[in-house]
Amino acid sequence: REAFQILELEGILERLPNRRMRVIGTKKRDILYNFRILSTLESEFASIILEENRNISTLIKAFEEFKSAVSQQVRETCAEKELAFHMQISVLIENQYLIQLHQKLLNGYLSYVLNYLNVEWRSNINRLQEILGAIENKQKTYLRKFFDAYFEEIAQVITKEG
């Protein structure tokens, strides 16, 4: 019952009058919107990190752990470490409400793609390296472009396979 309630809150299921549930389904457009919002959110988090001159050593460490996981080629570890990198972006701004919102978005389509679909891990390393490089070099103007490129690639994976 709890799982059904969660899926209903997520907009995946609809409760019918006779207590039955109906699958609403997901449209390609909705998936793309989700990734677009996630890109915007993370690029804004990164902008705040730059504006407030936050220490990004934990973000660098999360990226290095992801790279190491990719070299070991264990899907579960790669997915876990890549999600940890994303999570670290919101953790650095130290706002619990936004951290929880970000976590909820990460646990949706992005988590599904990383855990279950054919992801090009090396490409993800390159895209995240661009993002991290822009943050390290305080290149705020490139953040949105790099986040968009990353999430567009992820969206292509799910819309082709999902």
Side-chain angles (χ1 to χ4, degrees), residues 4 14 23 40 54 62 67 86 91 94-95 120 124 151:
F4 284 134
E14 175 185 28
V23 176
T40 302
R54 298 286 175 131
K67 274 182 24 181
H86 288 280
V91 167
E94 300 175 346
N95 179 311
E120 293 291 331
N124 287 8
F151 283 109

Side-chain angles (χ1 to χ4, degrees), residues 5 25-26 28 32 41 61 76 81 96 105 110 119 134 139 161:
Q5 288 174 339
T26 304
K28 180 178 178 180
L32 297 175
L41 189 62
K61 181 181 179 201
E76 295 81 19
K81 297 300 181 182
Q96 282 304 312
L105 288 171
L110 182 60
V119 175
Q139 297 172 315
E161 294 185 37

Side-chain angles (χ1 to χ4, degrees), residues 34-129:
N34 182 284
F35 285 119
R36 195 165 137 195
I37 295 300
L38 199 46
S39 178
T40 302
L41 189 62
E42 287 196 9
S43 64
E44 284 301 312
F45 289 159
S47 292
I48 291 168
I49 290 167
L50 291 179
E51 289 165 10
E52 296 184 357
N53 202 27
R54 298 286 175 131
N55 179 341
I56 61 166
S57 60
T58 54
L59 185 61
I60 294 168
K61 181 181 179 201
F63 177 73
E64 293 301 325
E65 288 175 358
F66 170 58
K67 274 182 24 181
S68 177
V70 170
S71 69
Q72 297 169 12
Q73 298 181 347
V74 178
R75 171 185 282 287
E76 295 81 19
T77 307
C78 291
E80 174 190 330
K81 297 300 181 182
E82 188 165 346
L83 287 167
F85 174 85
H86 288 280
M87 196 62 219
Q88 192 58 43
I89 293 171
S90 62
V91 167
L92 284 171
I93 65 165
E94 300 175 346
N95 179 311
Q96 282 304 312
Y97 176 78
L98 293 176
I99 290 169
Q100 289 178 9
L101 173 65
H102 189 222
Q103 179 73 54
K104 183 177 170 96
L105 288 171
L106 292 176
N107 286 337
Y109 294 120
L110 182 60
S111 179
Y112 174 75
V113 170
L114 297 178
N115 280 295
Y116 301 108
L117 300 182
N118 293 319
V119 175
E120 293 291 331
W121 299 109
R122 300 247 177 246
S123 178
N124 287 8
I125 286 175
N126 294 336
R127 292 293 183 192
L128 294 179
Q129 179 68 58

